[in-house]
């Protein structure tokens, strides 16, 4: 036997001395995570299709993104996310090589290198008042000359050099009370035109070289105006009167103002709808929308208006495109069911079409909201056109020659809320052919892995191994896996569209544009609020598909009409939708389900009524049984009040509604408005699992966590410290922290941080809360932790009491019982500003917790909760070291390997969602912003499974070698025994 052990150890030494095949990143790429880049809904677009260089389209979006896209495939060449407070107001090209952006309400002007997106220069523009932002670039025909950039913003007009961003001159209009809406340039003069009020029209003439005021003129129009002033040529403008029954034509030739007006009824008879001038810029033309019609109207040299055409069912009209000297074209779209018709016409020739195409577009993309066109020269020297379309769901399409060349799902850049759904269970039964194929693949895979382990794999084998591992991971199958890694991420976007994303590879499984959240005459500003799990069938009801609830309303106001949509989580089919007769102020998922696994929800309106959904007799029966156990709270941040509520009785209405209930206030906490203002609230997740209430401390002492779903964390700031960092002095700033029981209104803990201010980001888990804020005295960010323990169970420390059953751990817990609680807290410096904080969740709550911190650099940092243990000391005892307590430091460590996003960025990071897998060691982490990112994280390592890179081939080889060694040893032993017997 000793010989067998020696042979086995020799074999292990040989295998361990061999350089095992592959890098950690080469054969695991794409197995554990995915990352998707988006840009958001496009506002401005410029085509750059010169003969030399790559063909591209430059865009700016509502997510404050400036990007260059490949015109062939729609991929991102380069991209810059400027931030939520740096909204892009204008986009243009200067000197043929710089992309110019104007942002931050006209106060920041930047130039980006067109090929690679590197910033060339940045200029900060000064101003004294808020105003409209205008970017105008005067193109110099001489290649070696500078392009003059004219910018109006913050009440001032600036002339900036296109070469280096130097401000050449500045004219302040803050004292003139004028709202400049257009800039016009002639040979040596610049005109700034706009309104004072709604009827006084002003024009200022300035010297183009110095900015000196040369002339100003104004006129009083015969009526007030409505909407924006639209330029139809260098010196002609059109605008509607306040009643939208007349069109005013304004001419400022040579600085002299003249105007004419004409009734819309003189242009088109029987027009009953409200008129709106479309913002499309067409030479000597403008487009007027009335009902579903678009009128194209020509402005003559005598400033008369002539109706050119009437377009029915027009969805969008592009700006004019110069295709040759003196020839301009533009495009418009007509909808006809799922078909759209694209027309391109010559501005000066309406008899024919330069292009007429029909394209079929998925109706789930909605209507076309914007269109940008570009021309190219075909092989027969005729003009062809391509169109970039911005859809209602914020997606982006490029159409050419009647086909969709590429699409981008950029609505996913504006995720509002996220929930999850399990995938279907895999059906039983499999064919013999499939078994044989799987057996062949299994054998082939292990042969390839063995070749890789022995370093005899060819480059083709390496590629095959990687492809095989991607397939064998089965991560993209549409059925559940035993580890619970495969799920559906269901996200609601700002456009009112719902997407189901597969956690395996991030692909879109289905999507639906909800008609309840589409813009209509009845609902002009729809807003998607939240998404909830509505029906979650379990094993006894697997024939039912799970469904989700989407809540929205027609506007940001709480008084706006509300709507509900119910969607099948597997198919994306809308099962039902409701236009509610009441408003929505709060949605409360209750911990009760009916016989079909539909979860009960209470919807609270602004009139202090609670409505039960689903509206079924069974749901009413369930609620009646639990009537006295339903509690909730509301936060009035503006008034500084937190209230607790309970159901009272059925509503007293003229029309009886058994699903409507009045409620009463149980308690209220009114914070002093002169010293405190609510800036953040957070509570525990209802689906969080706590493995044990007991926590073993040093010297085997036991403390019991105060665990309750009815705990609220409230962070209040001093009134002067609610603004940005630095707006208050340390003496004027403080944070007051409360932990409140939401059933009784009892304040369990209160703490004050002097010299500190928000913003506050917090997360509540089990019995502890972690929150991030700024310390003005130390000029650093801090993270604090508070742990709450239940003193009423402090007697349960004797092991014999557990053995004999003499403990009170099985006694019921009630929020009305006032237990004595104790807290432990500690604060640490933290080097980063924070955008979001989340905590890992696991299925049983056994695995150690990690904090997931979204940093200002748009990355996600995983920080072990042990670093935020309030019991950390400078010199921990031996018992504390054995327990795992880390020695105290004033700052929390930032370890580069702890970034779960690795070298990637989730640009514009807004939120982090954690989802427990069935495997206790692992949690899924989904981070969203302009980008999307998903990965798996194991805070205590994968102690309950084998890793993806586990060498099954090595294990098999070891077992074979061990069996062979045992057999050889047995033969040698038998031979030795035989020889001994012959002696």
């Amino acid at each position: 036997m000793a010989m067998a052990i020696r042979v086995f150890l020799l074999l292990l030494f040989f295998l361990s001395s061999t350089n095992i095949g592959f890098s950690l990143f080469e054969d695991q790429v794409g197995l554990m995570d995915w990352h998707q880049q988006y840009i958001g809904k496009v506002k401005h677009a410029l085509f750059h299709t010169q003969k030399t260089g790559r063909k591209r389209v430059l865009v700016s979006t509502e997510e404050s993104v400036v990007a260059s896209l490949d015109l062939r495939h729609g991929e991102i060449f380069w991209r810059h996310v400027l931030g939520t407070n740096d909204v892009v107001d204008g986009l243009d090209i200067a000197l043929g090589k710089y992309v110019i952006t104007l942002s931050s309400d006209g106060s920041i002007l930047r130039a980006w290198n067109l090929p690679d997106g590197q910033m060339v220069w940045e200029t900060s523009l000064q101003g004294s008042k808020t105003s409209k932002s205008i970017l105008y670039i005067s193109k110099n025909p001489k290649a070696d000359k500078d392009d003059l950039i004219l910018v109006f913003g913050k009440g001032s007009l600036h002339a900036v050099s296109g070469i280096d961003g130097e401000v050449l001159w500045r004219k302040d209009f803050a004292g003139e009370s004028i709202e400049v809406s257009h800039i016009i340039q002639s040979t040596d003069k610049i005109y700034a035109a706009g309104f004072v009020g709604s009827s006084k029209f002003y024009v200022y003439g300035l010297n183009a070289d110095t900015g000196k005021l040369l002339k100003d003129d104004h006129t009083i129009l015969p009526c007030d105006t409505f909407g924006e002033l639209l330029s139809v040529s260098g010196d002609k403008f059109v605008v509607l009167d306040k009643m939208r029954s007349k069109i005013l034509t304004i001419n400022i030739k040579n600085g002299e103002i003249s105007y004419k007006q004409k009734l819309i009824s003189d242009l088109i008879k029987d027009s009953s709808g409200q008129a709106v001038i479309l913002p499309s810029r067409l030479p000597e033309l403008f487009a007027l929308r009335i009902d579903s019609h678009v009128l194209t109207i020509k402005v003559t040299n005598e400033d008369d208006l002539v109706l050119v055409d009437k377009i029915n069912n027009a969805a969008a009209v592009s700006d004019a495109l110069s295709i040759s000297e003196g020839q301009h074209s533009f495009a418009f779209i007509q909808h006809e069911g799922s078909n759209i018709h694209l027309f391109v016409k010559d501005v000066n020739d309406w008899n024919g079409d330069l292009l007429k195409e029909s394209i079929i577009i998925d109706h789930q993309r909605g209507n076309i909201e914007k269109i940008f066109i570009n021309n190219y020269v075909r092989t027969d020297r005729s003009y062809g056109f391509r169109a970039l379309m911005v859809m209602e769901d914020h997606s982006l399409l490029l159409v050419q020659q009647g086909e969709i060349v590429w699409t981008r799902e950029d609505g996913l850049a504006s995720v509002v809320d996220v929930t999850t759904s399990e995938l279907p269970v895999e059906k039983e039964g499999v064919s013999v052919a499939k078994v044989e194929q799987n057996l062949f693949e299994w054998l082939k895979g292990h042969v390839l892995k063995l070749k890789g382990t022995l370093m005899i794999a060819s480059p083709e084998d390496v590629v095959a191994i990687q492809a095989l591992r991607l397939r064998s991971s089965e991560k993209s199958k549409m059925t559940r896996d035993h580890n619970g890694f495969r799920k559906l991420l269901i996200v609601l976007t700002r456009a009112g569209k719902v997407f189901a994303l597969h956690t395996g590879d991030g692909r879109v499984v289905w999507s639906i544009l909800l008609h309840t959240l589409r813009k209509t005459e009845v609902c002009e500003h729809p807003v998607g609020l939240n998404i909830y799990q509505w029906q979650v069938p379990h094993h006894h009801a697997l024939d039912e598909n799970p469904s989700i609830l989407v809540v929205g309303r027609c506007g940001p106001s709480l008084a706006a009409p509300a709507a509900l949509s119910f969607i099948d989580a597997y198919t994306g089919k809308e099962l039902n939708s409701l236009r509610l007769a009441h408003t929505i102020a709060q949605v409360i998922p209750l911990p009760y389900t009916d016989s079909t696994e539909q979860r009960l929800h209470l919807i609270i309106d602004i009139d202090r009524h609670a409505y039960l959904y689903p509206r079924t007799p069974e749901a009413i029966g369930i609620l009646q049984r639990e009537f006295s156990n339903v509690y909730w709270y509301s936060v009035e941040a503006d008034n500084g009040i937190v209230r607790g509520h309970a159901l009272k009785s059925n509503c007293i209405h003229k029309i009886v509604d058994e699903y409507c209930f009045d409620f009463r206030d149980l308690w209220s906490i009114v914070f002093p408005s002169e010293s405190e203002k609510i800036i953040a609230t957070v509570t525990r997740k209802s689906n969080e699992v706590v493995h044990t209430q007991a926590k073993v401390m040093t010297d085997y002492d036991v403390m019991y966590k105060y665990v309750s779903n009815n705990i609220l964390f409230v962070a209040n700031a001093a009134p002067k410290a609610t603004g940005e960092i630095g707006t208050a002095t340390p003496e004027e700033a403080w944070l007051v922290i409360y932990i409140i029981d939401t059933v009784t209104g009892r304040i369990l803990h209160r703490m004050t941080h002097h010299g500190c201010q928000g913003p506050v980001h917090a997360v509540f888990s089990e019995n502890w809360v972690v929150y991030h804020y700024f310390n003005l005295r130390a000029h650093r960010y801090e993270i604090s932790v508070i742990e709450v323990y239940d003193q009423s169970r402090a007697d349960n420390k004797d092991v014999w009491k557990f053995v004999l059953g003499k403990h009170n751990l099985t006694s019921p817990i009630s929020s009305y019982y006032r237990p004595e609680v104790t807290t432990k807290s500690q604060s640490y410096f933290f080097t980063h500003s924070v955008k979001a904080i989340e905590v890992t969740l696991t299925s049983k709550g056994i695995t150690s917790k990690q904090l997931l911190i979204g940093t200002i650099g748009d990355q996600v940092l995983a920080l072990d909760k042990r670093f935020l243990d309030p019991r950390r000391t400078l010199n921990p005892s031996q018992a504390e070291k054995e327990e795992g307590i880390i020695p105290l430091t004033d700052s929390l460590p930032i370890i580069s390997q702890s970034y779960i996003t690795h070298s990637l960025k989730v640009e514009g990071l807004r939120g982090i969602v954690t989802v427990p897998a069935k495997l206790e060691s692992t949690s899924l982490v989904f981070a969203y912003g302009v980008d999307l990112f998903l990965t798996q994280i194991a805070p205590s390592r994968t102690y309950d499974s084998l890793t993806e890179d586990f060498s099954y081939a090595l294990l098999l080889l070891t077992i074979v070698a061990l069996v062979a060694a045992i057999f050889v040893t047995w033969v040698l032993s038998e031979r030795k025994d035989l020889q001994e017997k012959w002696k």
Side-chain angles (χ1 to χ4, degrees):
M1 197 67 187
M3 183 179 294
I5 294 174
R6 286 196 297 270
V7 171
F8 177 63
L9 291 176
L10 184 63
L11 179 63
L12 283 182
F13 174 77
F14 168 74
L15 292 175
S16 62
S17 63
T18 304
N19 185 16
I20 294 183
F22 309 108
S23 163
L24 176 66
F25 297 103
E26 181 184 12
D27 61 355
Q28 285 192 336
V29 60
L31 288 175
M32 305 288 288
D33 53 50
W34 48 261
H35 179 232
Q36 297 175 354
Q37 293 182 314
Y38 297 102
I39 56 175
K41 184 180 180 181
V42 171
K43 294 196 300 185
H44 310 100
L46 296 171
F47 290 90
H48 189 265
T49 55
Q50 295 181 353
K51 292 182 179 180
T52 58
R54 294 176 172 178
K55 292 179 171 57
R56 65 184 75 211
V57 57
L58 306 162
V59 297
S60 67
T61 73
E62 292 184 355
E63 301 299 325
S64 302
V65 175
V66 181
S68 173
L69 303 180
D70 181 3
L71 203 55
R72 298 183 185 276
H73 308 290
E75 298 171 351
I76 298 174
F77 280 141
W78 55 262
R79 178 186 63 160
H80 295 286
V81 182
L82 303 183
T84 55
N85 298 323
D86 197 6
V87 178
V88 180
D89 305 310
L91 177 75
D92 209 336
I93 296 177
L95 301 171
K97 60 180 180 179
Y98 295 159
V99 180
I100 307 297
T101 59
L102 178 66
S103 59
S104 295
D105 295 324
S107 61
I108 299 179
L109 189 68
R110 298 182 178 95
W112 315 88
N113 193 33
L114 196 151
D116 57 14
Q118 295 295 317
M119 185 187 294
V120 180
W121 51 257
E122 178 182 275
T123 300
S124 179
L125 305 177
Q126 304 300 317
S128 56
K129 73 170 188 177
T130 303
S131 66
K132 179 181 178 180
S133 301
I134 303 172
L135 174 65
Y136 178 86
I137 298 181
S138 174
K139 303 292 194 300
N140 198 311
K142 297 181 179 180
D144 58 340
K145 295 293 183 179
D146 191 4
D147 283 352
L148 183 66
I149 303 174
L150 299 173
V151 175
F152 183 82
K154 297 289 186 180
S156 299
L157 179 63
H158 300 79
V160 182
S161 169
I163 296 176
D164 54 11
E166 179 187 358
V167 178
L168 303 177
W169 52 261
R170 170 176 175 259
K171 171 61 179 175
D172 190 1
F173 286 94
E176 307 296 335
S177 301
I178 183 176
E179 288 291 334
V180 174
S181 56
H182 283 278
I183 298 172
I184 309 101
Q185 185 177 18
S186 62
T187 306
D188 56 352
K189 292 181 182 178
I190 295 171
Y191 295 98
F195 285 98
V196 175
S198 59
S199 61
K200 294 181 180 179
F201 185 76
Y202 278 71
V203 175
Y204 291 85
L206 308 173
N207 186 290
D209 296 326
T210 63
K212 180 180 179 181
L213 180 64
L214 302 176
K215 182 181 180 181
D216 69 279
D217 192 11
H218 76 278
T219 187
I220 300 177
L221 300 177
C223 55
D224 290 340
T225 58
F226 170 84
E228 293 287 332
L229 186 71
L230 180 70
S231 172
V232 293
S233 67
D235 52 9
K236 294 178 183 178
F237 304 92
V238 292
V239 69
L240 290 173
D241 73 328
K242 188 175 183 179
M243 301 303 295
R244 292 196 262 181
S245 61
K246 300 177 183 177
I247 302 173
L248 283 80
T249 307
I250 304 173
N251 195 322
I252 59 168
K253 191 173 183 179
N254 298 324
E256 301 292 334
I257 305 174
S258 62
Y259 66 86
K260 287 186 177 182
Q261 54 183 330
K262 190 165 188 173
L263 290 170
I264 296 176
S265 58
D266 292 341
L267 295 171
I268 180 173
K269 305 298 181 183
D270 303 325
S271 59
S272 58
Q274 294 284 351
V276 177
I277 294 178
L278 299 182
S280 303
R281 297 180 179 180
L282 308 172
E284 308 294 339
L285 288 173
F286 66 95
L288 183 74
R289 183 186 295 280
I290 303 178
D291 294 332
S292 60
H293 311 298
V294 171
L295 310 180
T296 52
I297 302 171
K298 183 177 180 62
V299 182
T300 66
N301 294 332
E302 293 76 25
D303 298 340
D304 290 330
L305 302 180
V306 177
L307 179 63
V308 177
D309 197 6
K310 177 182 176 183
I311 307 170
N312 297 322
N313 301 319
V317 181
S318 74
D319 288 344
L321 171 70
S322 176
I323 57 178
S324 64
E325 186 174 353
Q327 185 180 9
H328 294 82
S329 62
F330 77 101
F332 63 88
I333 293 290
Q334 283 183 312
H335 276 283
E336 185 181 338
S338 60
N339 290 350
I340 65 165
H341 302 292
L342 171 63
F343 296 88
V344 178
K345 288 184 174 289
D346 192 318
V347 170
N348 300 315
D349 183 10
W350 281 79
N351 295 324
D353 298 319
L354 295 177
L355 181 71
K356 182 179 180 181
E357 295 177 343
S358 294
I359 308 108
I360 298 177
I361 293 182
D362 183 4
H363 69 280
Q364 295 295 348
R365 298 193 181 277
N367 295 327
I368 298 172
E369 294 194 347
K370 291 183 180 179
I371 179 172
F372 306 91
I373 62 170
N374 174 245
N375 69 299
Y376 60 93
V377 180
R378 298 191 181 104
T379 55
D380 61 358
R381 312 304 296 172
S382 63
Y383 287 112
F385 295 88
R386 54 176 72 96
L388 188 70
M389 300 179 183
V390 183
M391 307 301 294
E392 186 179 353
D393 68 343
H394 298 184
S395 61
L396 192 64
L397 286 72
L398 184 74
V399 174
Q400 185 173 329
Q401 296 180 354
E403 299 290 338
I404 298 176
V405 180
W406 51 259
T407 61
R408 291 183 54 87
E409 294 289 357
D410 284 304
L412 287 169
S414 57
V415 172
V416 173
D417 199 12
V418 183
T419 189
T420 60
S421 174
E422 294 289 346
L423 285 165
V425 177
E426 189 167 7
K427 301 296 182 182
E428 294 182 359
V430 67
S431 66
V432 175
K434 186 174 181 180
V435 172
E436 292 175 350
Q437 181 184 6
N438 288 343
L439 180 61
F440 175 75
E441 291 291 335
W442 183 83
L443 291 172
K444 178 182 176 182
H446 282 291
V447 169
L448 287 171
K449 286 183 179 180
L450 183 60
K451 292 172 70 176
T453 303
L454 299 176
M455 295 185 66
I456 58 175
S458 64
E460 292 77 12
D461 290 336
V462 173
V463 174
I465 290 172
Q466 186 172 356
L468 188 64
R469 293 196 64 184
L470 287 171
R471 289 198 307 272
S472 63
S473 67
E474 297 186 337
K475 66 176 185 176
S476 58
K477 289 180 65 175
M478 282 300 297
T479 55
R480 300 183 193 183
D481 61 314
H482 64 280
N483 289 330
F485 296 157
R486 294 199 297 264
K487 298 178 186 290
L488 287 180
L489 282 171
I490 303 178
V491 302
L492 172 65
T493 67
R494 191 181 302 133
K497 192 169 187 177
V498 180
F499 292 86
L501 307 177
H502 197 293
T503 57
D505 53 9
R507 74 181 187 276
V508 176
V509 177
W510 56 259
S511 62
I512 179 173
L513 183 63
L514 299 177
H515 74 276
T516 54
L517 296 179
R518 295 185 66 177
K519 184 177 180 180
T520 61
E521 293 182 359
V522 178
C523 185
E524 293 189 358
H525 303 286
V527 177
L529 299 177
N530 295 103
I531 187 167
Y532 301 92
Q533 291 183 341
W534 175 253
Q535 185 178 23
V536 186
H538 291 84
H539 291 291
H540 63 279
L542 287 176
D543 292 336
E544 295 283 342
N545 286 359
S547 57
I548 57 172
L549 166 66
V550 179
V551 180
R553 58 171 170 244
C554 295
S557 170
L558 290 177
L564 304 179
S565 294
F566 305 89
I567 304 172
D568 188 310
Y570 288 169
T571 65
K573 179 182 178 182
E574 188 172 21
L575 304 174
N576 191 17
S577 63
L578 300 173
R579 293 280 184 183
L580 304 185
H582 57 82
T583 58
I584 292 181
Q586 193 174 358
V587 180
I588 303 167
L590 299 176
Y592 315 118
T593 58
D594 62 14
S595 59
T596 62
E597 303 282 352
Q598 292 186 25
R599 189 170 184 179
L600 274 60
H601 290 70
L602 278 182
I603 294 182
I604 314 301
D605 70 358
I606 60 175
D607 298 321
R608 295 179 59 81
H609 298 308
Y611 295 87
L612 176 64
Y613 291 88
R615 298 170 69 89
T616 61
E618 184 185 2
I620 282 287
I622 295 171
L623 185 65
Q624 293 292 353
R625 290 195 298 270
E626 303 291 343
F627 202 82
S628 59
N629 296 324
V630 178
Y631 302 92
W632 71 94
Y633 69 91
S634 61
V635 178
E636 301 174 20
D638 294 336
N639 300 324
I641 302 175
V642 181
R643 304 182 193 272
H645 311 285
L647 294 174
K648 181 180 178 182
S649 61
N650 281 100
C651 300
I652 302 175
H653 288 161
K654 292 181 180 179
I655 301 176
V656 178
D657 186 355
E658 61 179 330
Y659 303 100
C660 175
F661 300 89
D662 290 327
F663 58 86
R664 67 186 190 276
D665 292 344
L666 295 177
W667 55 266
S668 63
I669 299 175
V670 182
F671 300 108
S673 59
E674 65 276 3
S675 61
E676 297 180 28
K677 183 176 177 60
I678 299 174
I679 60 171
T681 60
V682 70
T683 188
R684 277 189 60 211
K685 285 185 171 62
S686 60
N687 64 338
E688 183 183 29
V689 178
V690 180
H691 176 63
T692 177
Q693 190 180 358
K695 183 174 182 179
V696 180
M697 315 294 273
T698 310
D699 299 328
Y700 302 102
D701 190 12
V702 179
M703 294 189 71
Y704 293 90
K705 305 171 185 176
Y706 185 79
V707 179
S708 171
N709 285 330
N710 303 311
I711 299 182
L712 176 68
F713 167 85
V714 179
N716 292 352
K720 291 185 178 180
T722 55
E724 296 182 357
I725 294 173
T727 55
T729 64
E731 292 74 22
E732 297 173 329
W734 57 84
L735 286 177
V736 187
I737 304 303
Y738 296 88
I739 297 179
I740 302 171
D741 188 307
T742 59
V743 173
T744 63
R746 179 188 176 193
I747 297 177
L748 302 175
H749 182 67
R750 181 181 185 274
M751 178 188 294
T752 303
H753 297 276
H754 294 284
C756 298
Q757 74 170 100
V760 172
H761 297 275
V763 63
F764 211 131
S765 177
E766 294 190 349
N767 68 317
W768 50 266
V769 61
V770 170
Y771 53 99
H772 175 277
Y773 54 92
F774 189 76
N775 189 324
L776 290 168
R777 297 185 189 277
H779 301 286
R780 299 175 73 178
Y781 288 100
E782 285 186 1
I783 289 184
S784 293
V785 58
I786 302 173
E787 293 184 353
V788 186
Y789 293 94
D790 187 351
Q791 286 291 92
S792 65
R793 299 169 182 262
D795 295 335
N796 300 312
K797 299 180 180 180
D798 191 347
V799 175
W800 289 107
K801 286 187 177 182
F802 286 98
V803 174
L804 299 175
K806 295 180 179 181
H807 57 77
N808 63 350
L809 293 180
T810 58
S811 59
I813 299 174
S814 172
S815 288
Y816 280 108
Y817 175 65
R818 297 175 62 88
E820 292 185 11
V821 297
T822 183
T823 60
K824 296 180 180 294
S825 60
Q826 184 64 272
S827 297
Y828 306 91
F829 290 124
F830 191 67
T831 56
H832 288 307
S833 176
V834 165
K835 289 187 172 183
I837 299 182
E838 194 50 82
V839 65
T840 54
L841 296 177
T842 55
S843 59
K844 306 298 182 185
I846 301 172
T847 306
S848 301
K849 299 285 188 180
Q850 280 190 341
L851 287 170
L852 303 173
I853 302 174
T855 66
I856 194 66
D858 291 325
Q859 292 186 295
V860 180
L861 174 72
L863 183 66
D864 197 317
K865 170 61 174 61
R866 292 185 304 156
F867 288 108
L868 287 157
D869 192 328
R871 297 179 298 136
R872 289 177 62 185
T873 59
L874 287 173
N875 297 303
S877 64
Q878 184 61 34
E880 289 175 333
K881 291 179 180 178
E882 292 177 359
E883 188 186 339
I885 294 179
I886 302 171
L888 179 66
T889 56
D890 62 347
S891 298
L892 294 173
I894 305 296
I895 305 170
S896 58
Q897 291 85 353
S898 297
Y899 284 100
I900 64 173
T901 47
H902 314 300
S903 61
L904 303 173
K905 283 188 175 183
V906 186
E907 294 284 4
L909 178 66
R910 290 192 301 272
I912 303 170
V913 177
T914 56
V915 183
K918 287 184 180 179
L919 204 63
E920 168 58 26
S921 65
T922 308
S923 179
L924 303 180
V925 180
F926 177 61
Y928 62 91
V930 176
D931 295 347
L932 304 180
F933 177 82
L934 183 134
T935 190
Q936 299 172 15
I937 183 172
S940 300
R941 300 186 181 275
T942 51
Y943 56 83
D944 51 359
S945 66
L946 297 175
T947 60
E948 286 283 346
D949 58 349
F950 182 81
S951 179
Y952 293 93
L954 180 60
L955 177 63
L956 182 63
L957 186 62
T958 303
I959 293 172
V960 170
L962 182 59
V963 171
I966 292 173
F967 179 76
V968 169
T969 305
W970 176 77
V971 171
L972 294 175
S973 177
E974 288 293 320
R975 184 177 297 177
K976 183 178 180 182
D977 289 342
L978 183 61
Q979 290 176 353
E980 289 289 335
K981 290 178 181 180
W982 278 103
K983 287 183 180 180

